[in-house]
Every structure is written in C-alpha cells, then in structure tokens.
Amino acid sequence: MTLVVNDLTVARGGVPVLAGLSFEVSEGCALVLRGPNGIGKTTLLRTLAGLQPAHAGQVQFPEETGAYASHADGIKAQLTVLENLAFWGEVHGNDVPDAVFEAFDLVDLRDRLAGTLSAGQKRRLGLARLGVIGRKVLFLDEPTVSLDGFSVKMFARWLREDHLARGGVAVIATHIDLGLEAPELDLTPYKARVDLAGGSDEAFL
C-alpha cells in the first residue's frame, strides 16, 4: 500500500499552481504538507484523491482505497451521532466499531442529535467517519479545524496508533504540529511559474 506521485502538476481553474511534484508515501507512513495560504494544498489533495484531474504527471495507489476529508464535517444535523456513523458505515459496507466512539470522545454523545453538538464536537464526529469507512489512503485538509488542544492530541493518537499502525497512509495539509514522526513537504519550491502571456489564477483564490 504505497502512494506514488510522479512529476505531478495540479491546476486550479485550468491554471497550473504546483508543478514537478514527485514523492512516495509508504505503508504505515504519513506526509505533512506545508506552505502559505493559497499555495495549492487543497488543490493538490483533491487531485491526489482523484476528485479533479491532474494537469500533468501521475498519481498511483490501489483503486477504491482513498478518501478525502475537507473542512466540512459531512454530518446530518437531524440524525444522532450513532446514526451519522451508521450511515457512513452502510455506504462503505462496514459496521461501526465501538472503538471509534472512544477514540473520538463520542461515547457520551452517541444518542445526541448532531445538530445540537458544539463546533468541536461536530468536527470530532466528522473525523470519526474516517474510522468507519475503512479507507487506507487518507487525504486530510486541515483536519483539526475547530478542535481544542486535547482533541488535536486525540486525533493524532488515532491517526498514529490506529490508522498508520494498521498499514494506512496519510497525506495531511496542516499549519499545526500534530506530533507525528512524519516528513514534511514544503510546497513553496513547486509553485508553478506565472504565465508570462498574462494569465492569472487570481479569480480562483
């Protein structure tokens, strides 16, 4: 289970934003993406996950093993915490393991309507989906938004001791230290050169 990226160029609105990216992330490993706002971290993650086509280059990992998680929690307010997780489990043909409720501090919230949760609790529920869907290659876009320090450590522990320990792979865009023993990739050197003919991607920022 290895993610292989070869000479990748990604584009936003048809305009290249990052170019010449090549890297590998092996089974049980994570890669942390760094770079200023607007550099193209989200565009890269969406391209890696197959949600948009690459402008050039190749992305390789086993089919039907990837999942992209953005800032959106992806939960239904009118369903309980348990019902939300059961929904995602059914979509992917999986049961909801009891360990997920403990890993994301949802044990006492399992029968609460998702619409009544705080922002941080909703974020934990959104992240708990990752423990239900069973995908091995995770592309995570600022996963700890709205989380307090305790919850950040809890998520990092799940990522390290559950997902990666079971042979998973993770590519994570984040501005904070998750405490993972993972290499970092600064995207700044891969910023695509400005189109000298006058093209611009300002409309897509």
Side-chain angles (χ1 to χ4, degrees):
M1 181 69 65
T2 300
L3 169 68
V4 180
V5 176
N6 184 37
D7 199 20
L8 183 67
T9 296
V10 301
R12 183 166 50 223
V15 178
V17 292
L18 295 170
L21 282 159
S22 295
F23 57 84
E24 293 188 11
V25 187
S26 300
E27 179 177 310
C29 297
L31 177 68
V32 177
L33 304 178
R34 299 291 193 193
N37 292 335
I39 192 70
K41 295 186 292 294
T42 295
T43 302
L44 173 57
L45 287 171
R46 289 179 54 83
T47 303
L48 294 175
L51 299 178
Q52 64 184 65
H55 192 77
Q58 295 181 323
V59 178
Q60 298 176 330
F61 61 93
E63 280 190 55
E64 303 299 320
T65 62
Y68 169 76
S70 69
H71 306 160
D73 295 320
I75 60 178
K76 294 181 179 295
Q78 68 273 27
L79 298 181
T80 66
V81 167
L82 174 59
E83 289 169 340
N84 268 280
L85 294 179
F87 168 81
W88 285 105
E90 185 175 350
V91 168
H92 292 272
N94 299 322
D95 294 326
V96 180
D98 288 337
V100 166
F101 294 98
E102 189 148 347
F104 292 91
D105 195 19
L106 298 171
V107 173
D108 295 333
L109 301 174
R110 59 190 297 154
D111 296 320
R112 280 268 300 274
L113 290 176
T116 68
L117 301 177
S118 69
Q121 290 168 337
K122 288 177 181 177
R123 180 87 285 243
R124 296 205 312 269
L125 174 55
L127 291 173
R129 292 177 300 160
L130 301 175
V132 173
I133 62 177
R135 294 298 177 97
K136 285 288 190 179
V137 185
L138 301 181
F139 303 101
L140 307 177
D141 192 358
E142 297 292 349
T144 57
V145 169
S146 298
L147 293 183
D148 58 23
F150 173 78
S151 297
V152 169
K153 291 179 180 177
M154 184 168 50
F155 171 68
R157 182 170 60 247
W158 173 84
L159 195 61
R160 182 177 58 251
E161 298 179 4
D162 192 305
H163 181 69
L164 298 179
R166 295 173 185 266
V169 168
V171 182
I172 313 162
T174 180
H175 290 287
I176 70 171
D177 182 8
L178 292 176
L180 298 174
E181 293 184 5
E184 297 185 357
L185 177 62
D186 182 3
L187 297 179
T188 305
Y190 300 96
K191 185 176 181 179
R193 289 194 292 180
V194 176
D195 181 0
L196 297 180
S200 172
D201 67 347
E202 289 181 0
F204 306 100
L205 293 177

